[in-house]
């Protein structure tokens, strides 16, 4: 990295740091751990081993006192995991199959007509009529298109309709319909993660984010302009955490935000999802390339909070690595 004496350079503090000598303290905040513990680094972990503390999240004083001191004037990477906010948008029930009254139009004579004349009647037939039509068509002309149309209509009447649930799941990625279940923060000195099962825990999680905003010059993330920043603001408006005088700019040209997605793709028609980009650049996530944000809701529903914590930590780490690599070769 090219050095500079410019006092306005937000990365001037990085110039004297030798990466090989960095010591990363990974502080893990867990809702299930009651006592501090030390964990060994994984053999394939490129992060130098450091102390890992586990603390019960029972209040601001306890969990903040267990975290490393924030170094003012630097940067921090952050990543969120989100799911639909069921307090405002309850999960809908999947619609169970419901048969129709017979329409009396099912016949071999009808099947003898052109397909476009038969199809409109299929949506009026009962299950029994459709099954009879299927048997006649299979024994007769056995036209693949007609068989597909009949089977499709049978699926509507005999299968569970999950379209409402599918639409509800998309609220995980709507900044104004979701809630935060995990936050990961990474700096040069440490990686920190927290999960939030309740609104009270989410409020404390937000508090720690705002403390980083107050202390650091820049926040860094991937696609945070379109999503993460807006989630932070929306959830803060709803939960009202103590932010002091800290604010963030949601505008496109906020100088305190480094959106790695925009750095790489703002002038390009092409774009990559984070895991796809990391795979292309040889950045290996601890949680694996196959783990994605759309699977977080499944983990919440089965109560795998450790899996969620591991995932948000993994994403924070790869975004930090991406940021540091980019900072060596481009203006970020």
């Amino acid at each position: 990295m090219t050095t500079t004496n410019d006092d306005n350079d937000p990365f001037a503090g990085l110039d004297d740091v030798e990466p090989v000598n960095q010591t990363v303290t990974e502080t893990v905040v867990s809702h299930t751990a009651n006592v501090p513990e030390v964990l060994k680094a994984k053999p394939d972990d490129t992060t130098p081993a450091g102390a890992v503390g586990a603390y019960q999240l029972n209040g601001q004083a306890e969990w903040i006192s267990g975290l490393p001191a924030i170094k003012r004037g630097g940067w921090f990477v952050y990543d969120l995991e989100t799911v639909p906010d069921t307090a405002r948008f309850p999960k809908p029930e999947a619609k169970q199959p419901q048969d129709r009254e017979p329409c009396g139009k099912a016949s071999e004579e009808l099947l003898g007509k052109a397909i476009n004349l038969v199809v409109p009647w299929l949506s009026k037939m009962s299950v029994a009529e459709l099954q009879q039509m299927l048997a006649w068509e299979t024994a007769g002309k056995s036209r693949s298109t007609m068989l597909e149309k009949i089977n499709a209509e049978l699926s509507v009447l005999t299968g569970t309709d999950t379209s409402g649930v599918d639409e509800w799941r998309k609220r995980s990625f709507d900044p104004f319909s979701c809630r935060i279940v995990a936050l990961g923060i990474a700096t040069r000195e440490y990686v920190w993660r927290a999960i939030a099962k309740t609104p009270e825990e989410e409020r404390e999680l937000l508090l720690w984010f705002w403390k980083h905003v107050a202390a650091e010059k820049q926040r860094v993330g991937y696609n945070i302009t379109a999503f993460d920043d807006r989630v932070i603001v929306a959830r803060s408006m709803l939960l009202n955490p103590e932010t002091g005088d800290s604010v963030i700019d949601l505008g496109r040209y906020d100088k305190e935000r480094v959106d790695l997605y925009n750095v790489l793709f703002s002038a390009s028609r092409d774009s990559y999802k984070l895991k796809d980009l990391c795979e292309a650049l040889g950045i290996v996530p601890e949680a694996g390339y196959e783990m994605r944000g759309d699977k977080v809701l499944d983990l919440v529903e089965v109560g795998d909070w450790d899996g969620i914590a591991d995932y948000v930590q993994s994403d924070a780490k790869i975004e930090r690595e991406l940021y540091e690599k980019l900072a060596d070769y481009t203006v970020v």
Side-chain angles (χ1 to χ4, degrees):
M1 182 184 297
T2 304
T3 60
T4 176
N5 293 323
D6 186 356
D7 291 338
N8 295 321
D9 180 8
F11 308 107
L14 301 180
D15 297 334
D16 298 329
V17 176
E18 293 294 334
V20 295
N21 295 325
Q22 292 180 18
T23 299
V24 178
T25 301
E26 294 184 359
T27 300
V28 181
V29 176
S30 170
H31 296 287
T32 57
N34 293 304
V35 295
E37 61 178 339
V38 176
L39 306 179
K40 295 180 180 179
K42 298 176 182 178
D44 59 347
D45 191 353
T46 56
T47 303
V52 181
Y55 299 88
Q56 183 74 30
L57 184 52
N58 280 336
Q60 173 186 346
E62 287 184 35
W63 63 277
I64 289 183
S65 65
L67 296 173
I70 304 174
K71 288 193 174 182
R72 296 183 177 276
W75 50 265
F76 73 98
V77 175
Y78 86 100
D79 184 79
L80 303 176
E81 303 307 333
T82 56
V83 298
D85 182 9
T86 54
R88 294 179 295 148
F89 306 100
K91 183 178 181 178
E93 295 290 335
K95 294 180 180 178
Q96 298 304 312
Q98 186 174 358
D99 201 358
R100 303 188 189 110
E101 292 293 327
C103 69
K105 292 294 182 181
S107 67
E108 288 186 270
E109 181 181 352
L110 179 62
L111 279 176
K113 297 182 179 181
I115 292 177
N116 65 314
L117 297 177
V118 178
V119 169
W121 287 106
L122 297 180
S123 62
K124 298 178 175 62
M125 293 181 183
S126 67
V127 171
E129 288 176 321
L130 288 166
Q131 290 172 337
Q132 185 61 68
M133 293 285 284
L134 184 64
W136 283 331
E137 181 65 26
T138 302
K141 296 181 180 180
S142 192
R143 295 164 291 183
S144 59
T145 301
M146 180 59 75
L147 291 172
E148 289 175 4
K149 296 292 185 182
I150 297 173
N151 279 315
E153 199 61 40
L154 273 170
S155 297
V156 171
L157 295 183
T158 60
T160 301
D161 181 5
T162 61
S163 58
V165 177
D166 295 339
E167 285 299 310
W168 174 80
R169 290 180 66 94
K170 294 178 183 178
R171 293 189 182 277
S172 295
F173 308 106
D174 177 354
F176 305 103
S177 299
C178 67
R179 69 180 179 94
I180 302 169
V181 293
L183 167 65
I185 288 178
T187 69
R188 290 197 314 275
E189 291 77 26
Y190 59 86
V191 175
W192 176 85
R193 71 190 193 185
I195 54 175
K197 299 179 183 179
T198 67
E200 292 73 23
E201 291 169 350
E202 186 180 358
R203 185 180 295 109
E204 294 183 41
L205 178 153
L206 287 165
L207 174 63
W208 192 243
F209 170 85
W210 287 110
K211 284 184 175 292
H212 276 79
V213 170
E216 308 285 15
K217 284 185 178 180
Q218 290 185 310
R219 66 191 183 282
V220 183
Y222 196 83
N223 200 33
I224 59 175
T225 305
F227 186 67
D228 302 66
D229 275 3
R230 296 179 187 277
V231 173
I232 289 288
V233 170
R235 296 307 292 171
S236 295
M237 291 171 67
L238 289 166
L239 297 175
N240 195 29
E242 177 58 49
T243 64
D245 295 327
S246 298
V247 294
I248 59 176
D249 185 351
L250 294 179
R252 185 176 179 182
Y253 302 107
D254 176 20
K255 293 182 179 179
E256 295 180 354
R257 177 183 59 233
V258 178
D259 189 331
L260 302 174
Y261 179 88
N262 289 343
V263 170
L264 287 165
F265 303 115
S266 63
S268 172
R269 294 182 179 179
D270 301 322
S271 64
Y272 279 72
K273 292 185 177 180
L274 177 61
K275 298 303 186 322
D276 296 334
L277 177 63
C278 287
E279 187 170 12
L281 296 176
I283 298 174
V284 182
E286 293 173 351
Y289 294 114
E290 68 282 354
M291 180 60 193
R292 308 284 174 124
D294 57 1
K295 297 181 180 180
V296 171
L297 178 57
D298 297 328
L299 298 183
V300 170
E301 291 185 332
V302 299
D304 187 2
W305 292 96
D306 288 341
I308 296 168
D310 289 342
Y311 176 51
V312 77
Q313 174 178 298
S314 174
D315 269 11
K317 278 188 170 183
I318 60 175
E319 289 173 33
R320 177 181 65 183
E321 184 174 350
L322 177 61
Y323 170 69
E324 290 178 328
K325 287 180 180 293
L326 277 172
D328 282 335
Y329 304 105
T330 187
V331 176
V332 292

